[in-house]
Structure formats: structure tokens, C-alpha cells
Amino acid sequence: MQKIMNKIVAGLVSATLTFTPLVSDACTAINVTAKDGSVVAGRTMEWAFDMKWRLTLNPKGTAIPMSAPASLDLPATSLSSKYAFVGISPGILQGPPAYLEGQNEVGLGISGNFLPGFTQYQTVTPQDKKYVSILNFGSFILGMFGLVKELRNELPKYKVWFDPSEVKGLPTPPWLHLVLTDRSGDSIVVEFVKGEMQIHDNIVGVLTNSPTYEWHTNNVRNYLSLTSTATASAHIGNVNVTELGQGGGLMGLPADYTPPSRFVRATYLKQFAYQPTNSDDAVQLVGHLLNNVDIPVGVARSTDGKQVFSDYTQWVNLKDLKNNRMKIANYTNRTNFIEIDLNRVFQSRKTITWLVDQLPYPKNDLTAEIMN
């Protein structure tokens, strides 16, 4: 019996680690609500190699495929989106875009982060009537829903599935959990664990990667001694020893790039930062918070035989859900965000796609003007 158990455990470990060198395991999402009620949801996207990310504008009425695994021979349908939306998808995936990031015209935002080792999607049966592939889940959410309250009620009615035989081009299965936030600040995290959909209130406004959301929120309790106010001085014997500088209250804040450490770091920095006044201030705060989890090329490496891979922050996206603004920057232009006024863009009623790496990032070079 022990030998059998050892084989089972070894098989599970092997299955979990097969894709480890290529899995993007460093994404971070943060929500911030300003004093005036404005909500900004930002995220970083990390990967070990170029995914050819595409930014796509989808008008109201965009077709959303709703299908079951082909082997079940169940009827496939297509919904017409109620809302215009913009989304970001990996261009290397063959077939319709699978949106891991985006927002729609009524202020609903989505960020999908990888959850390897824990994700198990639902099983569709011949008796099921409502189903959607995880690859179309993002467009389904952005195209059909405007409030997180709706999502809480409607998502459990659907089976969300994944069939590896129907996915081509991705280097790893799309093991995802998602944070969904509307412009009121209401937010949930959706995960698929042990074949069931689990919906959690996003109580801290942060999401990273594995383990599951509930594990992360419990782990935060290990750092309750952190504080934004340091001890200025202490008497040691007859000597008054003073602090060397500010920030001592955060001694012990984890600084590595593992998902648990990034979750703790983002949670406490968000908690200690002053609440922004309005949406402009909130955009700036989310940008600063995400700077703390930004990964330069080469500092987070993994190996697969003789090959060496390095996760790095391929792009950062900031979503102003109240005012329908989006700010995005890729690795090469990390300090020069592109801004898009989505209220105007959605009025175009066009389907447009841009490569994230080829957006017209500003250079902000004033040399010529100074020299005139």
C-alpha cells in the first residue's frame, strides 16, 4: 500500500511541476478606492517569454462563444455582448482571444492570475445546459455583466471547463483564478478547486498566484506586527539608541517574488498608504504599489535542463473603473504609460486590436525643446 501511495504522490507532484519553468507565477492585482468613491484596479503581468500580448477593443454586440467540450456533442451557442469592452489576451494562443485582463463600458474590471497546482475546472455532463470554456470566460464576464452582484448570482449557474486537446499555442494550461471588480468597489475572487467553482469576497483587494485566496488571507495573519510607524528610540542600559531612518516598522515585510510574499507585501503597503482623494490620486497610488512587485529581467529565474528562464513584468495595466480610463505600459516603457479614454473609444463601435509592445509609448524627451 505504501508503494502505491508513493507512486500516486510522485505522479501528482510530477503533473504539478511539469510546466513549472514556463508558468507565469508572479502576477499581482490590487484594488484601491479613493475618498470620493473612485475605484482603480491595477495589475502586473509576468511571464518568462514573449506572449505577444494583444489589446482588443470589442464593441457592443460582439459574439461570445458558449460551448461544451467537443466530445460531449452538446449544442454550441453564441451570445451577443450587452456591453462594449476592451481586453488583453496572449497572441500566441490559436483561436479566439482569451482575455486575462480588461474592463467594460459600465465599469466592470477583470484580472486573471495563474493558479497552478490547485486549479481543477468543472466537469460538463450531457445534462448541463449552461457552460463556457475558460478561454471564453473573460469575454463572457466583460460582455454580459456590469455588477459584481450579478456575477455572484449568475456565475454559479454555469460550468466552466478546460480541455487540453482544444487549446493550441499556449506553453502551459490556463490554470486561472480571477478577481472581478466593479466601479462601486465590490470585488470577488473566482477559483476552481477540486472541480468546483468557489467565489470569495475580495476582502483585502489583492490577488497574486498560488496557493488559493483563502490560504493567502490566512497567511496575512502571520504579519500582524508590521506597522507604518517605527519605534523612534529605545533605552539600552544608560544609552538612548535612536533609529537609523524611517521604515523600521516594516522590518520583516517579505521582499521576495513568491506569490505569498507579494500578497503580504501588497496587502500591507496598501493598508498603510494614505487613502487617495480622487481617481487621479488612486491611479498614482496603485502604480506605486505595483512598483513594489515589478520584476526586472534576470532576478526571478528557473531552469529546465540547460535552459534558463526569467519571469519579468511584461506589462502593467491600471483601470479607472469610474471614469473608464485605462493606462498601460510594457517592460521597455515601464515609466511611460499609454492612456486610453474608453468612453470615446467605445463610441467608435469598432473592433480594433493592437500589440501591447507596439503601442505608441511617449518618449518624453525635452532635449530638442530646451536647446531651441
Side-chain angles (χ1 to χ4, degrees):
M1 177 62 71
Q2 186 60 47
K3 290 183 178 179
I4 294 175
M5 290 301 297
N6 288 343
K7 288 183 179 180
I8 292 174
V9 172
L12 290 172
V13 172
S14 175
T16 301
L17 297 182
T18 297
F19 297 97
T20 296
L22 299 179
V23 167
S24 174
D25 204 24
C27 303
T28 304
I30 301 175
N31 296 342
V32 166
T33 301
K35 292 179 180 178
D36 69 353
S38 299
V39 177
V40 173
R43 66 90 50 82
T44 66
M45 173 59 79
E46 281 77 24
W47 207 278
F49 62 97
D50 187 3
M51 295 289 286
K52 307 297 182 185
W53 296 102
R54 297 183 302 186
L55 175 67
T56 302
L57 169 66
N58 298 276
K60 179 179 178 180
T62 294
I64 302 172
M66 305 291 288
S67 62
S71 60
L72 293 177
D73 199 27
L74 290 173
T77 61
S78 178
L79 299 177
S80 178
S81 71
K82 294 170 57 178
Y83 306 111
F85 64 94
V86 61
I88 302 175
S89 62
I92 65 170
L93 173 66
Q94 299 177 27
Y99 295 114
L100 301 182
E101 171 73 4
Q103 66 190 98
N104 67 19
E105 63 179 317
V106 289
L108 180 70
I110 183 173
S111 290
N113 290 7
F114 267 63
L115 187 69
F118 295 87
T119 299
Q120 181 184 346
Y121 291 110
Q122 295 166 285
T123 299
V124 180
T125 70
Q127 291 73 41
D128 290 319
K129 304 298 182 183
K130 294 185 176 183
Y131 32 73
V132 57
S133 165
I134 186 61
L135 299 181
N136 297 318
F137 197 46
S139 57
F140 172 57
I141 289 171
L142 291 172
M144 304 306 297
F145 299 96
L147 297 172
V148 167
K149 180 179 179 180
E150 295 179 83
L151 293 166
R152 283 194 183 93
N153 294 330
E154 294 300 318
L155 289 186
K157 300 177 183 179
Y158 289 81
K159 290 286 188 67
V160 180
W161 60 273
F162 164 68
D163 184 344
S165 67
E166 299 186 20
V167 178
K168 297 180 180 180
L170 287 181
T172 181
W175 308 130
L176 298 174
H177 59 173
L178 307 99
V179 56
L180 313 173
T181 308
D182 65 30
R183 61 175 44 159
S184 76
D186 197 6
S187 184
I188 56 175
V189 172
V190 180
E191 298 179 329
F192 302 90
V193 179
K194 297 181 180 179
E196 296 183 357
M197 179 187 294
Q198 298 183 359
I199 298 178
H200 306 279
D201 289 336
N202 187 12
I203 57 176
V204 297
V206 171
L207 186 66
T208 57
N209 307 99
S210 299
T212 58
Y213 184 75
E214 193 172 57
W215 186 98
H216 283 296
T217 55
N218 278 324
N219 182 51
V220 165
R221 297 158 69 184
N222 289 318
Y223 297 88
L224 297 179
S225 60
L226 296 174
T227 174
S228 59
T229 305
T231 300
S233 64
H235 280 86
I236 300 178
N238 296 323
V239 179
N240 184 28
V241 180
T242 59
E243 62 183 343
L244 293 174
Q246 294 293 336
L250 292 174
M251 190 72 70
L253 183 72
D256 62 82
Y257 289 112
T258 61
S261 293
R262 284 183 287 105
F263 193 100
V264 170
R265 191 156 72 249
T267 296
Y268 278 96
L269 293 179
K270 175 192 168 186
Q271 173 68 22
F272 293 149
Y274 290 128
Q275 185 180 17
T277 301
N278 51 40
S279 60
D280 287 337
D281 293 342
V283 166
Q284 293 300 321
L285 175 57
V286 174
H288 283 290
L289 293 173
L290 291 175
N291 283 344
N292 287 274
V293 293
D294 187 275
I295 303 179
V297 174
V299 304
R301 306 181 199 182
S302 58
T303 58
D304 184 13
K306 294 183 178 180
Q307 289 185 292
V308 178
F309 303 92
S310 175
D311 263 22
Y312 65 100
T313 301
Q314 299 199 351
W315 47 265
V316 175
N317 192 44
L318 308 176
K319 304 182 292 291
D320 178 351
L321 300 178
K322 177 182 178 180
N323 299 299
N324 280 352
R325 293 186 300 162
M326 173 179 283
K327 294 172 74 76
I328 187 170
N330 68 350
Y331 184 88
T332 306
N333 299 275
R334 181 64 179 84
T335 59
N336 293 315
F337 282 87
I338 288 285
E339 180 166 343
I340 305 173
D341 181 348
L342 295 179
N343 284 321
R344 295 180 60 188
V345 170
F346 287 143
Q347 292 175 4
S348 70
R349 300 184 181 277
K350 298 178 180 178
T351 300
I352 308 173
T353 298
W354 305 268
L355 283 173
V356 171
D357 279 342
Q358 294 181 10
L359 292 171
Y361 296 99
K363 297 304 179 185
N364 298 328
D365 187 347
L366 292 178
T367 306
E369 181 176 337
I370 293 172
M371 297 304 293
N372 285 339

